[in-house]
Amino acid sequence: MSPLPSTFISAYIYKSILVLSMLCAYTSFGQQKKAADSILILGNEYAEFIKKDEHTVHKLMHDVKLQHGSDTLYCDSAFFYTHINSVEAFGDVVIRQADGTEAFADYMRYTGNDKIVFMRAYNGREVQLVDSAGNSLWSKEIAYNLRTKIGTYRNGGQLQNETTVLISDRAVYNLHTKEARFTGNVTVVDPEYNVVSTDLGYNTESKMVRFFGPSVVVNEESVLRTTSGTYDSKQKIAHFTERSSLMNQAQYIEADTLHYDRNTGFGEGFGNVISIDTTQKSILFSGYVQYNEQTKVMLSYLNPVMKKLDGKESRYLRADTFYSAPIMKALGLPMTAQDSLELTADILQSAVEASEAPDALAYQDSLAVEQDSLISDLNMPLDPVVSPNQDTLYVPVDTSISGPTDDENSQLVMPPFDPLSYQDTLRATPDNKLEGLKFQMDQLVYSGKPSDSIAKVAPQPDSSARFPDYQGDIQPNADTAGPRYFVAYHNVVIWSDSLQGKCDSLKYTESDSLMVMYGVPVLWPKSGQMNGEVIIMKMDTQSLREIIIPKDGIMINRSGPEQAGMYDQVQGNMIHGFLSNNELDSLIAEGNAASIYYVTDDDSAYVGGSEATAERIEILFDEQKIDKIYYRNNVEQTMTPMNDVEPDTLHLSRFKWLEMDRPKSLEEFLDGLELPLVPEL
């Protein structure tokens, strides 16, 4: 064999040396890397080397100090398992990270390769894990990952910051993101609110609370219940995305979605809303409601239905929109509820006789949605006019209306109003004499209201911008601690076992217990019917007590079987009915009064039809049927034998039987709506 060339040998030796050099360098890097990942002993006073199986365990005693990367561990004593790069530490254990995180325990087991530490406390003490911001996690046992900075406890513990304590059975806290998750018997204690929950999240930096299970939030003003959503404890804003409720001293709201701003007191609910007025003991069902606990203003729409208990009977009310607000503080002398009732009736009655502006006065009365009562803010002196054949009536001497004055005792708080100018408007739109009222209410209620389709799909984030009128400052003349007024607007329907009704708009005032129906109002008290241009109902705490029709009133009662088509009728410029146990007890028709009455003998057999006119007609009822009739002043009466009576033609001028419009049952009244189950508060 011929020898190899010297150049080839030289190249081979060079390559071999290069490979060996690379291997040595790689081995040296691996040793350095292993040394960097290893736990280092920085100090101790006494050490022992214990041989266990094939490995050596370092027993370190007194003022032990270990380091792993940038993390430092202090303890009284420790076992250092070099072969698995782990440590067991005992007695006053402290671990510190470079970013300021600290942990304190009686016992710690540390796995260096995973950088996971398990800590335990004894003798009634607790492990403490503190992040750089001072937030502390406390428990008997805590596991902590130094790499991901996530601490957990599973056997009860708490998280504390400067003002808030969160207690639970289990918790996971990310010291880097400041996000914590608590489960099992969760309690949050804060100077401004408390929470109990089954599953709750909390950010120690943003103070944002997240709800993942049944939870209750309590503060001085309200109680919030939810199963899903958020509460920004810094901004004091709640957003609940599942069935939730808000309750304060006067109001309870429950909905599928609920928003609440504690700063402004504004709350709104979407979907299957239940709103309970705890002072009025009424329940409102709707698709949407908003309420301000500071200004006491409420707005509701999307098929709203109100239920109110009157004595033993429930009364229901439907409309397109419901609105409620505090009554404006009345200036000047106080007025009793009876004064308000009588003066209201008399003002509207005088409007019948006034040729210039009868509708203007009615309109002025309608606009009093921010007054103490329908007319309590009109400064009108009273002059009693007494007639020998009738009760005392209070008739206003001066029905002129003027604008606000500088006199601090003036009761008029409405803007200037020109009756003649408004009368011209009415003449221009004769088919809708409530146009002015509706325009005002549209401005008040519907300004900026989102479309129904938007409200049905999802809540809008800019609710405060959409409803500025209901979240702003309290009006200077609003008595938020006092009584309120309530408006049902458009397509109003009333239903109870003893009374049904319909109208375009309705107003109720707590101060005088007056309910006023506008816009072709009609009432059906059992077998009867009452209607006129305006209907006023006087309520008390238990039931309906009086019905007043101040203009163009008529009352109709069916007489005999339905197929007979016979109706007892009475009409007058004003009709005043009195009720007992929600049933008509007596009635007075006054001014151009007229009646048609089917007369019966002692055996209840019909003997004829009576037609009469008088200045005043008084009727007494027995079981909702006419029992006695009294005619007063300028009486004219004719009697037609029963054989000659033609019921189809025996009608007064205002007769119009509206039975087809009457809701016959609660199911017909609800028209397919299913009301959600009401909770017991």
Side-chain angles (χ1 to χ4, degrees):
M1 176 181 293
S2 55
L4 295 173
S6 59
T7 55
F8 178 82
I9 295 174
S10 299
Y12 177 80
I13 294 173
Y14 174 77
K15 289 182 179 180
S16 299
I17 294 174
L18 179 62
V19 170
L20 289 173
S21 299
M22 292 177 64
L23 289 174
C24 291
Y26 179 80
T27 303
S28 176
F29 175 78
Q31 292 174 346
Q32 291 176 3
K33 182 176 184 299
K34 182 178 180 181
D37 287 343
S38 298
I39 298 173
L40 304 178
I41 303 173
L42 299 183
N44 64 290
E45 294 183 1
Y46 175 79
E48 292 183 5
F49 297 91
I50 302 173
K51 188 72 173 178
K52 188 174 183 180
D53 297 330
E54 297 180 356
H55 306 290
T56 302
V57 178
H58 293 222
K59 181 179 180 180
L60 310 175
M61 306 287 290
H62 305 305
D63 296 329
V64 178
K65 182 179 181 181
L66 304 174
Q67 184 175 3
H68 188 214
S70 61
D71 304 325
T72 306
L73 184 148
Y74 305 85
C75 62
D76 292 341
S77 61
F79 288 103
F80 179 23
Y81 305 94
T82 56
H83 63 288
I84 56 175
N85 200 32
S86 66
V87 172
E88 278 189 288
F90 306 88
D92 293 328
V93 181
V94 179
I95 189 166
R96 291 190 173 97
Q97 292 189 279
D99 65 353
T101 300
E102 295 181 316
F104 305 89
D106 294 329
Y107 166 80
M108 185 199 71
R109 183 174 68 249
Y110 177 61
T111 304
N113 295 336
D114 297 329
K115 300 202 74 171
I116 294 176
V117 58
F118 173 78
M119 297 172 284
R120 181 180 295 163
Y122 301 105
N123 301 322
R125 293 181 293 184
E126 290 187 327
V127 177
Q128 182 183 13
L129 176 62
V130 187
D131 65 16
S132 57
N135 303 298
S136 305
L137 201 66
W138 296 78
S139 181
K140 293 291 185 183
E141 298 178 344
I142 292 179
Y144 177 56
N145 189 316
L146 281 77
R147 182 178 290 110
T148 63
K149 301 191 69 64
I150 295 177
T152 62
Y153 64 74
R154 298 181 179 277
N155 297 305
Q158 60 185 343
L159 174 66
Q160 298 180 1
N161 62 18
E162 293 179 355
T163 60
T164 308
V165 178
L166 298 99
I167 305 169
S168 66
D169 294 342
R170 298 170 296 280
V172 177
Y173 179 45
N174 189 319
L175 282 70
H176 176 67
T177 64
K178 309 303 181 185
E179 287 285 348
R181 181 77 175 264
F182 303 87
T183 56
N185 298 311
V186 184
T187 302
V188 182
V189 180
D190 185 271
E192 295 190 359
Y193 68 95
N194 292 333
V195 179
V196 293
S197 176
T198 60
D199 192 346
L200 180 146
Y202 182 74
N203 188 293
T204 58
E205 188 172 65
S206 68
K207 315 299 183 187
M208 180 70 74
V209 183
R210 301 183 185 278
F211 303 98
F212 303 100
S215 308
V216 180
V217 184
V218 181
N219 59 46
E220 292 181 356
E221 293 85 15
S222 58
V223 177
L224 295 163
R225 296 176 183 270
T226 188
T227 57
S228 177
T230 61
Y231 177 64
D232 188 335
S233 59
K234 279 187 176 180
Q235 301 298 325
K236 301 178 182 178
I237 296 176
H239 171 67
F240 300 147
T241 55
E242 292 186 6
R243 193 71 181 170
S244 306
S245 68
L246 163 65
M247 181 172 65
N248 55 39
Q249 292 182 348
Q251 199 80 11
Y252 172 87
I253 298 176
E254 180 180 325
D256 293 341
T257 302
L258 193 64
H259 308 276
Y260 173 62
D261 187 338
R262 188 181 170 195
N263 300 295
T264 63
F266 176 79
E268 61 179 343
F270 298 80
N272 297 308
V273 178
I274 302 173
S275 177
I276 301 177
D277 190 320
T278 56
T279 59
Q280 285 296 304
K281 296 181 176 57
S282 62
I283 305 173
L284 176 63
F285 308 92
S286 65
Y288 173 83
V289 70
Q290 61 177 243
Y291 179 74
N292 192 309
E293 64 185 9
Q294 295 180 13
T295 63
K296 302 297 187 293
V297 173
M298 182 275 294
L299 170 68
S300 177
Y301 50 89
L302 296 181
N303 296 317
V305 177
M306 177 171 285
K307 177 183 178 181
K308 183 173 175 59
L309 187 65
D310 293 329
K312 297 181 179 179
E313 183 178 60
S314 294
R315 179 169 290 135
Y316 293 84
L317 184 69
R318 289 191 65 174
D320 292 345
T321 301
F322 290 158
Y323 177 82
S324 178
I327 295 169
M328 304 297 287
K329 292 179 180 178
L331 305 175
L333 296 176
M335 177 176 291
T336 67
Q338 186 62 28
D339 291 338
S340 176
L341 174 65
E342 293 178 356
L343 189 52
T344 299
D346 294 335
I347 285 178
L348 295 177
Q349 171 63 21
S350 64
V352 177
E353 303 170 359
S355 59
E356 285 295 327
D359 295 305
L361 287 174
Y363 171 71
Q364 178 73 3
D365 177 67
S366 303
L367 285 182
V369 291
E370 295 180 356
Q371 310 292 320
D372 187 274
S373 69
L374 291 172
I375 41 70
S376 61
D377 294 316
L378 300 178
N379 186 14
M380 299 182 181
L382 302 179
D383 179 25
V385 179
V386 181
S387 171
N389 296 321
Q390 63 185 31
D391 298 332
T392 300
L393 293 178
Y394 292 91
V395 180
V397 174
D398 182 8
T399 58
S400 62
I401 301 175
S402 60
T405 68
D406 295 331
D407 183 2
E408 63 179 2
N409 294 322
S410 173
Q411 292 182 332
L412 187 59
V413 295
M414 298 184 65
F417 177 73
D418 183 358
L420 295 180
S421 174
Y422 177 69
Q423 186 68 10
D424 291 338
T425 303
L426 288 179
R427 293 193 184 100
T429 57
D431 294 334
N432 191 354
K433 293 188 177 183
L434 287 176
E435 191 64 35
L437 169 63
K438 292 178 180 179
F439 174 77
Q440 294 290 335
M441 289 300 297
D442 282 336
Q443 296 301 308
L444 176 68
V445 176
Y446 288 97
S447 178
K449 189 172 86 171
S451 67
D452 291 353
S453 60
I454 294 177
K456 289 177 180 178
V457 173
Q460 300 301 301
D462 58 341
S463 59
S464 60
R466 291 188 290 115
F467 302 103
D469 294 339
Y470 309 112
Q471 302 177 76
D473 296 333
I474 299 174
Q475 296 297 320
N477 287 332
D479 185 8
T480 56
R484 291 177 292 161
Y485 68 87
F486 169 84
V487 176
Y489 187 49
H490 285 331
N491 303 313
V492 177
V493 184
I494 302 170
W495 189 90
S496 69
D497 287 334
S498 61
L499 183 74
Q500 298 84 47
K502 280 192 174 185
C503 63
D504 177 81
S505 307
L506 177 147
K507 179 200 167 188
Y508 173 73
T509 317
E510 289 180 3
S511 60
D512 51 20
S513 299
L514 290 182
M515 182 180 291
V516 186
M517 301 171 66
Y518 304 94
V520 196
V522 56
L523 283 177
W524 293 279
K526 289 204 171 175
S527 62
Q529 173 185 305
M530 302 177 72
N531 52 280
E533 286 208 358
V534 174
I535 295 179
I536 303 171
M537 289 181 281
K538 170 69 174 176
M539 319 291 291
D540 64 13
T541 56
Q542 296 295 324
S543 59
L544 175 63
R545 300 306 301 270
E546 300 176 40
I547 298 176
I548 297 176
I549 306 176
K551 182 180 179 183
D552 295 343
I554 183 171
M555 192 207 73
I556 307 171
N557 258 19
R558 179 183 285 118
S559 183
E562 181 177 353
Q563 59 271 24
M566 299 188 302
Y567 301 95
D568 294 330
Q569 307 154 51
V570 60
Q571 67 182 31
N573 290 348
M574 183 183 75
I575 289 180
H576 195 162
F578 301 88
L579 295 90
S580 177
N581 297 322
N582 284 321
E583 294 184 355
L584 269 174
D585 181 73
S586 59
L587 181 140
I588 298 172
E590 199 147 26
N592 298 317
S595 70
I596 292 176
Y597 174 52
Y598 287 89
V599 183
T600 60
D601 59 18
D602 293 339
D603 297 326
S604 299
Y606 288 100
V607 298
S610 170
E611 298 179 70
T613 61
E615 285 300 316
R616 178 184 173 104
I617 298 177
E618 301 169 1
I619 301 176
L620 299 179
F621 293 88
D622 183 18
E623 295 183 355
Q624 294 291 296
K625 295 181 180 180
I626 295 177
D627 182 41
K628 295 180 177 64
I629 298 182
Y630 300 94
Y631 302 94
R632 311 290 189 189
N633 298 334
N634 302 322
V635 179
E636 294 184 7
Q637 183 178 19
T638 61
M639 175 71 75
T640 303
M642 198 62 201
N643 292 335
D644 298 329
V645 170
E646 297 181 6
D648 291 341
T649 62
L650 202 58
H651 296 158
L652 293 177
S653 60
R654 298 176 194 146
F655 177 88
K656 187 176 183 180
W657 189 241
L658 302 172
E659 186 70 14
M660 293 296 295
D661 297 332
R662 180 180 192 171
K664 306 300 187 301
S665 64
L666 180 60
E667 291 73 20
E668 182 178 332
F669 165 84
L670 293 174
D671 192 23
L673 287 178
E674 292 186 7
L675 303 181
L677 183 65
V678 178
E680 293 186 7
L681 300 185

